[in-house]
Amino acid sequence: MASPIRISHIVLQTNNPKALQDWYCTVLEGEMVHEFVIIESGTASVRRGGRKVATVGAGDVLYFRTGWRTKFKEEKDALAVTMFKAWYVPFYRYGVIHGDPHLGNYTVRPDGSINLLDFGCVRIFPPRFVRGSIELYRALMSDDEARAVAAYEDWGFSGLSRDMIAVLNRWAAFLYGPLMDDRPRRLTEGMADGHGRDMAQNVFGELRKMGGVRPPREFVFMDRAAIGLGAVFIHLRASINWHRLFESLIEGFDVGALASRQDDALKVAGL
């Protein structure tokens, strides 16, 4: 599999908030992005380093639903890796995520790189929340309840009872399950259709019954993004070693370094 995998374009639509577009450009430039594209009246003006250098038409892209159903397994798996990195490199390096990964918010180029669209649902997270995401994974891997509680507190939960922790851990085991399994596998191996949606609804329902615990907004947002992106991988029928892919993203994680990168990018974007 080719490395590094790059996003070919970020498609910056003129009706999106400019500050968020600038933020994403700053975050991904030098990480994964080859070039930025500004949509202008049905064509795309390609810019490198702020300079327009070419124009491409709509025929240069393939839509996800129609263009990739007949691809070979290796191509589909490679696309799934690209999508995983497109969403989670920004999160684990800068604390920002595109929160709406439905099938209409990106297109795929013939070479397997992707065009990201629609930055109206971007969320910037405090560095402690990103740390909590990694710590929860480590806690589940080592069956360390105290570490899991600390991770939930990083996420903004407080006053959790043991019953609440058990419910949250059930959700977390579902979400992180493929990341803890060190072998190539499909994301929902052994699960019924709609299991992720049902799991989220059950968890939120049970938490409300246990005294009205209100999940932090960051928790809800991340859950939405994870379920939406998971639907993409299911559609692709991708079989990947998710554990090793995830470990490669979080290797050497330093919350202080993330905070510094985030702060620098926010200043550049004027946020």
Side-chain angles (χ1 to χ4, degrees):
M1 192 174 293
S3 180
I5 292 174
R6 290 181 176 270
I7 301 170
S8 178
H9 299 78
I10 287 185
V11 181
L12 304 177
Q13 298 163 301
T14 55
N15 64 337
N16 283 163
K18 185 177 185 302
L20 290 177
Q21 296 186 123
D22 289 346
W23 162 256
Y24 241 80
C25 287
T26 302
V27 164
L28 288 177
E29 191 166 19
E31 295 285 345
M32 301 174 71
V33 176
H34 176 61
E35 55 197 2
F36 300 104
V37 181
I38 310 296
I39 296 296
E40 294 176 350
S41 302
T43 64
S45 302
V46 180
R47 301 174 187 270
R48 291 192 185 91
R51 297 192 303 275
K52 178 178 176 180
V53 296
T55 299
V56 296
D60 294 312
V61 303
L62 295 171
Y63 286 92
F64 185 85
R65 286 187 184 275
T66 58
W68 279 79
R69 286 183 175 177
T70 59
K71 295 290 184 179
F72 292 110
K73 177 186 180 300
E74 291 77 9
E75 295 174 290
K76 291 180 179 180
D77 287 351
L79 176 57
V81 171
T82 300
M83 291 293 296
F84 189 93
K85 289 187 175 183
W87 257 260
Y88 289 122
V89 165
F91 180 69
Y92 287 108
R93 285 191 58 78
Y94 292 87
V96 62
I97 202 165
H98 186 307
D100 197 12
H102 70 71
L103 300 183
N105 275 345
Y106 43 85
T107 56
V108 185
R109 296 176 65 80
D111 65 357
S113 58
I114 63 173
N115 304 319
L116 292 183
L117 306 143
D118 192 354
F119 296 89
C121 197
V122 168
R123 179 81 184 191
I124 301 169
F125 295 86
R128 62 167 176 75
F129 184 89
V130 183
R131 178 184 63 194
S133 299
I134 296 172
E135 282 296 292
L136 182 55
Y137 163 76
R138 299 294 189 204
L140 293 170
M141 288 287 287
S142 58
D143 195 23
D144 187 334
E145 184 176 299
R147 195 172 187 177
V149 171
Y152 291 131
E153 289 174 349
D154 271 347
W155 278 8
F157 285 98
S158 60
L160 293 174
S161 68
R162 294 187 69 88
D163 287 342
M164 292 173 183
I165 293 167
V167 171
L168 286 171
N169 281 349
R170 194 167 73 246
W171 168 85
F174 159 73
L175 190 67
Y176 286 94
L179 306 182
M180 297 190 291
D181 192 3
D182 188 7
R183 64 184 176 91
R185 54 164 285 177
R186 290 185 181 171
L187 198 71
T188 56
E189 189 173 296
M191 299 179 192
D193 290 345
H195 179 72
R197 181 182 60 253
D198 293 342
M199 170 67 74
Q201 291 174 349
N202 289 339
V203 164
F204 295 150
E206 288 191 45
L207 289 176
R208 283 193 295 269
K209 292 177 183 177
M210 293 177 179
V213 174
R214 186 175 183 178
R217 287 182 299 173
E218 291 89 348
F219 173 88
V220 177
F221 200 90
M222 271 296 288
D223 184 71
R224 174 186 172 183
I227 296 300
L229 197 57
V232 176
F233 302 143
I234 294 168
H235 185 82
L236 285 171
R237 301 175 68 84
S239 182
I240 291 169
N241 191 317
W242 305 100
H243 172 76
R244 295 189 184 182
L245 179 59
F246 184 65
E247 285 282 351
S248 72
L249 291 189
I250 66 174
E251 184 179 6
F253 175 80
D254 183 310
V255 68
L258 182 148
S260 179
R261 285 192 297 270
Q262 186 185 80
D263 187 57
D264 289 345
L266 286 168
K267 288 177 180 176
V268 170
L271 292 171

